[in-house]
Amino acid sequence: MLTDRDRLQDNPGARFLLMLASGVVVVWGLQMAASVLLPISLALFLAVLSLPVVVGLTRRGVPRGVAIFSAMLVVVGVFTVLLLAASQSLTELQSQLFRYVGRLQALRDNWVGLASDQLGVAIEEFVDLNLINPEAVAALIGGTLTQAANAVSQTFLVLLVMVFFLAEATIFPDKLSYLLE
């Protein structure tokens, strides 16, 4: 009697289709879980970067909670400096955005006028002048700023998970030695 495994080994096409379907399911699952996996993986990355600070402080006699809090303060400090630098630029860009839209329209109209004069043909007949829509550019920049604000709003979750990872990483050797006794 043939089992499913024997049938797969006898038919390489079915084996390929099964592997392809499995890959599609895994990719789909990762895509569906991206909103959860991304903050957790970022927190894990930050915890791995901060772990030497925590371990170094605990070896010097600093309590674990204070060492974890110090590492978190370092991470928050670095992010604060980066956000302050970026927010100043973004605020200036947002205040100047409508001026840039007007400038872009003026440059487009000037270019079309010069090209029409040089070629002796009205470019408006051959080129859709709405290909570069300044309002669409402004909307794109506004959407980017909104996405940046959403990313900042998830920072608290990332920091909370990072603290959990650091707390577990510092007491994991104790737990492991207790289990092995």
Side-chain angles (χ1 to χ4, degrees):
M1 179 169 166
L2 288 176
T3 64
D4 290 337
R5 184 176 181 164
D6 293 334
R7 288 183 190 143
L8 284 177
Q9 287 178 351
D10 291 342
N11 192 348
R15 185 176 181 186
F16 173 75
L17 286 176
L18 179 66
M19 289 176 21
L20 185 66
S22 300
V24 167
V25 168
V26 167
V27 169
W28 177 80
L30 287 174
Q31 185 179 8
M32 291 294 115
S35 62
V36 174
L37 290 178
L38 185 63
I40 290 174
S41 61
L42 179 60
L44 181 63
F45 175 72
L46 291 174
V48 167
L49 287 179
S50 302
L51 188 60
V53 173
V54 173
V55 170
L57 288 174
T58 53
R59 284 188 182 156
R60 287 181 174 75
V62 177
R64 288 182 185 152
V66 175
I68 291 170
F69 184 72
S70 300
M72 189 178 76
L73 282 180
V74 168
V75 170
V76 168
V78 168
F79 275 122
T80 301
V81 168
L82 291 174
L83 285 176
L84 286 176
S87 69
Q88 182 180 4
S89 299
L90 290 176
T91 303
E92 184 178 327
L93 175 66
Q94 201 171 18
S95 68
Q96 301 292 329
L97 193 58
F98 293 109
R99 193 180 93 198
Y100 289 143
V101 168
R103 247 186 184 175
L104 188 58
Q105 286 174 335
L107 284 172
R108 180 188 65 188
D109 295 340
N110 187 26
W111 178 81
V112 168
L114 287 174
S116 295
D117 291 344
Q118 292 290 329
L119 296 174
V121 177
I123 294 208
E124 295 89 6
E125 295 176 16
F126 300 105
V127 177
D128 185 14
L129 295 181
N130 292 327
L131 282 176
I132 301 175
N133 187 355
E135 288 83 17
V137 172
L140 176 70
I141 292 173
T144 303
L145 293 177
T146 303
Q147 290 293 330
N150 289 339
V152 170
S153 70
Q154 288 190 358
T155 301
F156 179 74
L157 174 66
V158 169
L159 290 175
L160 188 65
V161 173
M162 183 191 89
V163 167
F164 172 76
F165 284 151
L166 285 174
E168 283 298 312
T170 57
I171 62 172
F172 185 73
D174 297 336
K175 289 180 177 180
L176 187 61
S177 65
Y178 178 75
L179 287 175
L180 294 178
E181 289 179 356

